[in-house]
Amino acid sequence: MGRIRAIITDFDGTLVNTFKANYYAYKEAFIQYGYELTEEQYKECFGLRFDGLCDKLNVPKEIRDDIKKEKKESYPKFFSWLELNESLMKFIAYSKAIGIKTCIASTASKENLYNVLNHFDSKQLYFYVKNAIMFFQFATLTIEASF
């Protein structure tokens, strides 16, 4: 059996608990457009892409881009609510130190991933960051070729 050459980890809820930070950022953005988002509603939609959340809340398509922009801008204000999985981060740091390539796969945008990793001063641990849309487009490639 060969040695481990790469580790791929999920981001939201695995490496970092982003629930509260995302909730407060979405709540602030939706309020600006006359929509109330309760924590219970958000729990029911957690893990959905933005359009899925908007569909559940009956938000018209015409204002979704504006809400998304507002959320993106306000998200860093709520980084104090982020919770890093310290054990996983230590495992990744050790793996990286011994030459194992590391990757994050997530539905989050690369910009959001980098912002959160920078918040924790952890960006240097990752050799490769892919959001899930890009990651799955290239899923037919071998992991070695993806790195």
Side-chain angles (χ1 to χ4, degrees):
M1 180 178 279
R3 72 176 192 94
I4 296 171
R5 297 183 358 196
I7 296 170
I8 301 171
T9 185
D10 183 42
F11 182 70
D12 292 304
T14 303
L15 183 62
V16 180
N17 181 346
T18 59
F19 179 86
K20 290 274 190 185
N22 272 306
Y23 166 65
Y24 289 123
Y26 274 123
K27 180 178 179 173
E28 184 173 282
F30 279 111
I31 284 173
Q32 292 183 34
Y33 291 87
Y35 289 86
E36 182 180 344
L37 178 63
T38 66
E39 191 168 344
E40 194 59 40
Q41 287 173 309
Y42 188 65
K43 279 181 187 175
E44 291 173 13
C45 299
F46 193 62
L48 295 178
R49 301 283 300 159
F50 177 72
D51 282 329
L53 173 62
C54 288
D55 288 344
K56 291 275 189 183
L57 298 173
N58 297 315
V59 175
K61 293 184 192 291
E62 302 79 45
I63 62 171
R64 290 182 183 188
D65 286 341
D66 294 332
I67 293 173
K68 192 176 200 175
K69 182 180 175 198
E70 290 291 331
K71 187 270 183 181
K72 181 180 176 182
E73 289 173 4
S74 68
Y75 186 49
K77 291 192 310 190
F78 301 103
F79 278 5
S80 63
W81 289 98
L82 296 171
E83 298 173 31
L84 181 65
N85 181 334
E86 297 282 346
S87 298
L88 181 55
M89 189 57 75
K90 286 176 185 175
F91 174 74
I92 290 168
Y94 173 77
S95 299
K96 181 84 172 165
I98 63 171
I100 296 173
K101 295 176 181 167
T102 58
C103 177
I104 294 175
S106 177
T107 57
S109 71
K110 276 189 176 184
E111 183 179 0
N112 277 346
L113 290 170
Y114 282 128
N115 285 340
V116 172
L117 291 173
N118 284 331
H119 173 74
F120 289 112
D121 196 29
S122 301
K123 184 177 170 185
Q124 72 278 2
L125 295 178
Y126 286 89
F127 180 85
Y128 201 62
V129 175
K130 279 268 194 199
N131 67 23
I133 294 167
M134 294 172 65
F135 187 78
F136 291 119
Q137 285 175 345
F138 298 104
T140 57
L141 299 175
T142 64
I143 289 175
E144 182 177 16
S146 295
F147 292 92

